[in-house]
Each structure stands twice: as structure tokens, then as C-alpha cells.
Amino acid sequence: MMAKKLFIQTLGCAMNVRDSEHIIAELKDKDNYELTNEMSEADLILINTCSVREKPVHKLFSEVGAFEKAKKNDAKIGVCGCTASHLGSEIFKRAPYVDFVLGARNVSKISTAIKTPKFISTDINYDESDYAFGEFRGSPYKSHINISIGCDKKCTYCIVPHTRGDEISIPANLIVKEAQRAAQSGASEIFLLGQNVNNYGKRFSNAHEKMDFSDLLVRLSEIDGIERIRFTSPHPLHMDDKFLEIFANNPKICKSMHMPLQSGNTKVLREMKRGYTKEWFLDRAQKLRSLCPDVSISTDIIVAFPGESDEEFEDTMDVIEKVRFEQIFSFKYSPRPLTKAAEFANQVPENIASTRLTHLQNRHNEILDEIVATQNGKIHEVYFEELRANGGVAGRSFNNFLVQVQGSEELLGKTLKVRIDNPKRMVLYGKLV
Ligand code: SAH
Ligand code: SF4
Ligand code: F3S
């Protein structure tokens, strides 16, 4: 029988990217679908959605509207992911042509969803932590692997615990098996995913071998054929000495750490319910830089959290000066349904939020220019994974800089030394040595 065609659009974070891979694997294995990049020729159109800020939620409705206009007559449209979890049946009301709604924690039900009229499943307590998904990977060179599902932290601004439910760890033996499979198929980099990776191992669905995140990292680094291990997101609160030391000393763990700051002010952090202080964050960042001089540190920052004063915002700027992050993802606070902070008094006016965001981004760019300038002449080990325009081939250095050289597809999948001769903010250009 001829394969049916699946078009899938993925919004949001790396966890959604992996969920989309799982959805594709299920539909290939069970329902004979193959992927297409052409929405208009698809038999099934899926959008995997994000709810973390208001903007991507709007995007969902504009996108499904466009799908409805351009799709084949009998093509089905499904809404999956975090917005499916939190809006549920309201999606049918606002977009009646949507055929099914499948929440972020119900991915394994996709095969049923496509066969059941107006199927909806948004149960955030559903446990698929030891469900065996089939094999599909967007890249042959690296493998995303979920190590936990959900998040219990309930930071007061964040909707994720309401879309992905409580945190539950995936059994270590399944993770190890997945990493071995990746290595055997030539993907020598694994990318471990969870909302709180360094809280791994606190709760499993059944009696499983207990293991914390540091032990899991060591175990994975012992697998032949795995050369690089990355992970996101760790939580600053759980960056104990054992974790930082294993991070710094294990030669397979890539030297880039995401340390989501959110705010540099201790009072704001308390109101966000982050569980750490400005001093703790600085202490961890300094310890990390001293244990691991090559590390690059990225962060997430929210400006204009409810009640944030100019002085409190200055503490965030102070942390930026002290840590000198290699990369900052910065956002204006966006009030989200179901969260505590949306109810707080003193929501900060939009114009102040914009001024703070611009100020922060400008200062970060200045710092970044200084960091980037120091890269000139440096030699990096680059794992090539992507062809770019005009004969460029790009990959990541061990500490996560994007590096590009002139070359062809024969570089793909290889790790080679590159000397940087033209460092730019977004890309370090260089030549093979
Ligand atoms: N588990 C990760 C965060 C996942 S959400 C962590 O704890 O770091 C990704 C980022 O989106 C967050 O780090 C935060 O900076 C941002 N974010 C989450 N909720 C937000 C909101 N209501 N408004 C603006 N940004 C938000
Ligand atoms: Fe959201 Fe906080 Fe959980 Fe991160 S740790 S997903 S910010 S609740
Ligand atoms: Fe990720 Fe967005 Fe959900 S950031 S966890 S897809 S709300």
C-alpha cells in the first residue's frame, strides 16, 4: 500500500522536537506514514505547540487557520503539545476544523488519535515514562534522548508543570539502550533532555535501578561510540559539587552549561520560587568557571517579572557583568494562565519591560563581542553536522560555539580541528588545520 504523507510543524523547546520525533516514529511504524515538507500534499497535518509565552499560542491559531485553507480536501489536522494540554477542548471551539487534540504527555496515543473522530487526550498525569517508542531521528549525527518527563518545580511564572505534569524519570536502562542504539547507527553525540535534568532519579514509575544525574552521565560516558554528551536544562539549585566536578572532569561531557538565571535579584527569585539566591548562583558559576576554564555558559532571563523594580533589575545586570554569559535567551515576562504570578499585583508596564530587555540585550552584545574577539586564532574540535549556503559546513565546538568552514558533505559526521580566523557573534568562521 502506498504510504500516506505526514506534515509536522514543531514549535517550542527541544522536548517538543523529541516528542515530534516520537510521533513520527509511531506513525511510520504503525500507520505507514512518511514525512513530507509540503503541507498541501499531506494526508495528516500536525502542529506540536508551545505555551510558555503568549506569542506561540497565537501562532498556533494563525497556523491551523492557514493549514485549513491550503490542505488537501480529506486531510486531517491534529494539535499536539503543550497548548493542546492547557487549552484542551477550547481548541475545537476556536478552530472547529481541528480533528484531534493530543497533550504533551500523551504522545504514545497518536496512533489512536488519528483514527478517532474528535479525539482528545490531555491527561497530565498519564505515565509514558517506560513506553518504548520506535526509532526516528531528525539528524543522523546526534540523538536527542528524554531522561525525564514533566516538572514539579512550579516556578510561579511557568506553565510547563500544567502542560507536562509532575516530574518522572525514565528508567536508566532504557536511556542506556537508546544511547547504545544511537552509537551503533553512527550518532556519536547524545543530547539528554528534561525540564530539570540534574534532578534526575528522584521518582520512577516502578521499582527501577536508582541513579542520580551525575551517575547517569558517568554511565553513558562509558558507552563505546558515544563521544559527546550534552544536556538541557539543568537547574542552578541542583548544581552541587559532585555534579560540577563530574561535568568538569569527564572528557565526554561537552563543556557548555545552561544555567537559567531568570533574575539576579534574590527577592525576585524568591517570588519566582526558584529556590536559590543571587549569591548561590554566582558561587556556582564561579566554581564552574574555575573547575572548567573552557566552559561556555548560557542562560535564560525574564525581565519585568511582576513587582520587579529598577534596582532589582540592576541585580540581573550585575550577574551578567560577573558571569559574562556566552549566550543569553532573554524574554519579557508574559503572564500565563494557571500560574501564580499572573495573579500578582504590580504587573510591570510594557514600555518598562521593553526598555529593560533592550538594555540587557545591548549590554550582552557588547560582552559577547569581547568574548568572540578572544576566539581569533583559537583551535576548536568541531563535530560537523550541517551544510550551509555557499559551500559552508558547520558544526559545534566542544564548548558549543557554532563553527563554520568551507567544505562539502564529506566533512559531515566527522570531528576535525579548526583554526578560527574570522569570529562573528553568531558563527566563528575558520579553516581546517
Ligand atoms: N526548565 C527550564 C525552563 C523551560 S521554559 C528552566 O527551569 O530553566 C524556558 C524558558 O522560558 C525559561 O527558562 C524562562 O526563561 C522562559 N519563560 C518561562 N515562562 C515564562 C513566562 N511566563 N514569561 C516569559 N518567559 C518565560
Ligand atoms: Fe518551568 Fe521552573 Fe519547571 Fe523550568 S523549573 S519548567 S521554569 S516550572
Ligand atoms: Fe517546551 Fe513550550 Fe512546552 S518551552 S515544555 S514546548 S510550553
Side-chain angles (χ1 to χ4, degrees), residues 52-53 157-158 160 195-196 233-235 258 260 262 274 300-302 331-336:
V52 81
R53 284 168 292 277
Y157 52 81
C158 183
V160 173
Q195 287 299 353
N196 255 310
S233 299
H235 195 297
H258 189 60
Q262 312 303 358
R274 290 293 288 175
D300 290 351
I301 291 174
I302 298 174
F331 314 99
K332 283 189 257 189
Y333 169 72
S334 169
R336 307 303 301 124

Side-chain angles (χ1 to χ4, degrees), residues 387-407:
L387 291 176
R388 309 200 81 194
N390 306 321
V393 190
R396 295 275 164 181
S397 69
F398 203 58
N399 60 359
N400 208 31
F401 284 113
L402 186 63
V403 177
Q404 183 170 329
V405 300
Q406 287 299 109

Side-chain angles (χ1 to χ4, degrees), residues 12-13 16 49-52 82 160 163-164 195:
C13 65
N16 262 15
T49 57
C50 173
S51 271
V52 81
C82 284
V160 173
T163 68
R164 291 187 179 261
Q195 287 299 353

Side-chain angles (χ1 to χ4, degrees), residues 187-190 223-229 251-254 398 415:
S188 60
E189 177 172 315
I190 54 174
I223 297 174
D224 283 340
I226 295 298
E227 303 301 333
R228 290 185 169 202
I229 303 174
K252 289 190 180 176
I253 301 177
C254 291
F398 203 58
T415 303

Side-chain angles (χ1 to χ4, degrees), residues 39 45-46 50 76 96 98 112 142 307 310-311 388 401 423:
M39 187 257 290
I45 300 170
L46 299 179
C50 173
K76 288 201 170 94
V98 166
T112 310
K142 67 174 163 218
D310 285 338
E311 294 72 44
R388 309 200 81 194
F401 284 113

